[in-house]
Amino acid sequence: MLDYPTLDDIKSALFVQPHPDDNEIGAGGTMAYLVQKGIPVYSVSVTKGDGGSDEHSPEALASIRALEAQHASDILGVTYLGDLGYTNTNPGTISSICEDIVNIMRTHHIQTLISVDPDLDNECHPVHLTVGRAVNEAFVRCPQRYYPFHEHRIHDDAYHPEILGHYFTKHDNTIVGIDAVYTQKMDAIRAHSSQVNEAFLQQLNTLYQAYAIGTPYTYAERLKLLYPIHTHCFAIRDELLESLMESL
Ligand SMILES: [Zn+2]
């Protein structure tokens, strides 16, 4: 079948964020919902988020954001795996980040891998674009027993992950009602106090209301969830696929 996965198909999940705070902003409600269902949920930051402050040195900001990220994960009840060590001056490459993500997936046997959509047409942040691509590649590489190829050995912990997900996407196929966990989500975002102010929180509040338009919810998140069949050579317009599903 060609159906997309649903939220109920998620059995364990790793959320990969380019910077500390992206997971909470893009999918914090989904994370809290999954945790409440008893599903193992992990969060990892690719970079330390050490750029972009005139007030703090990069090293000081990295320390602040590490504490904020841990606090936010504690609020959501997810296991925070820390960061991959990349920085504003050493942001990593698609291949280096991919290798790190596959390593984490194999260690924790992650069933569902979720990160930012690298094909969001107005996304301008280079780290988001790189991380989205790296996570997509990790989903494909994880089952390959000879990957990472430069090690020239078989990896017995290679396995097939089942679901790839994107947040910060315009091609969502899954609406997550987050009313019951909304306070938790917003508290987790507020935990990133070096990054957010009230005006930004108000903008986010409006955005989560917009995501819920046409649904029974006041607030929602929207994700794109894919099975492996959808992640390679799967070329069909959404409306054609919808018609096909309705006719079956
Ligand atoms: Zn970010």
Side-chain angles (χ1 to χ4, degrees):
M1 288 300 293
L2 299 177
D3 301 62
Y4 291 117
T6 69
L7 212 55
D8 289 337
D9 296 316
I10 297 177
K11 305 297 181 226
S12 72
L14 171 64
F15 288 78
V16 181
Q17 54 188 351
H19 309 98
D21 74 7
D22 290 312
N23 280 345
E24 285 77 26
I25 293 171
T30 304
M31 295 163 89
Y33 170 80
L34 293 172
V35 167
Q36 284 187 7
K37 280 181 70 181
I39 289 165
V41 179
Y42 301 89
S43 172
V44 69
S45 304
V46 172
T47 69
K48 294 176 177 292
D50 60 331
S53 172
D54 296 328
E55 188 184 343
H56 303 288
S57 70
E59 294 75 19
L61 184 59
S63 302
I64 291 167
R65 296 196 71 180
L67 291 172
E68 291 173 348
Q70 182 63 60
H71 185 202
S73 292
D74 290 346
I75 290 170
L76 296 177
V78 310
T79 302
Y80 185 53
L81 301 176
D83 62 70
L84 298 182
Y86 296 102
T87 63
N88 203 32
T89 50
N90 174 29
T93 63
I94 291 173
S95 50
S96 69
I97 296 166
C98 174
E99 195 173 322
D100 293 338
I101 299 297
V102 169
N103 191 25
I104 294 172
M105 293 169 74
R106 288 173 175 172
T107 300
H108 297 281
H109 205 80
I110 300 296
Q111 180 236 15
T112 295
L113 183 63
I114 298 182
S115 187
V116 298
D117 185 347
D119 297 314
L120 178 62
D121 53 13
N122 51 339
E123 178 59 65
C124 297
H125 200 301
V127 174
H128 279 232
L129 298 171
T130 302
V131 169
R133 290 253 170 270
V135 170
N136 282 0
E137 182 173 339
F139 187 76
V140 173
R141 296 292 186 201
C142 186
Q144 300 177 345
R145 296 180 75 209
Y146 280 96
Y147 180 85
F149 306 114
H150 65 84
E151 293 182 1
H152 302 288
R153 67 180 178 92
I154 284 180
H155 294 76
D156 289 325
D157 51 0
Y159 71 98
H160 288 267
E162 293 173 31
I163 299 171
L164 175 66
H166 292 147
Y167 59 82
F168 299 156
T169 184
K170 288 187 182 179
H171 296 280
D172 55 275
N173 57 19
T174 306
I175 298 165
V176 187
I178 58 168
D179 295 354
V181 292
Y182 193 65
T183 304
Q184 227 181 324
K185 173 185 169 80
M186 295 309 281
D187 284 349
I189 295 173
R190 271 192 203 92
H192 298 280
S193 52
S194 72
Q195 303 301 305
V196 299
N197 57 34
E198 271 312 310
F200 181 54
L201 289 166
Q202 275 307 316
Q203 288 177 319
L204 290 178
N205 185 69
T206 305
L207 189 65
Y208 304 136
Q209 285 178 315
Y211 287 158
I213 288 171
T215 77
Y217 316 115
T218 304
Y219 300 105
E221 290 173 350
R222 288 180 179 248
L223 307 175
K224 175 169 58 182
L225 297 180
L226 305 170
Y227 281 130
I229 182 71
H230 305 118
T231 65
H232 184 48
C233 301
F234 188 79
I236 182 169
R237 287 190 201 164
D238 288 345
E239 59 268 31
L240 293 180
L241 193 59
E242 277 166 29
S243 302
L244 176 68
M245 295 304 179
E246 283 163 14
S247 68
L248 291 176

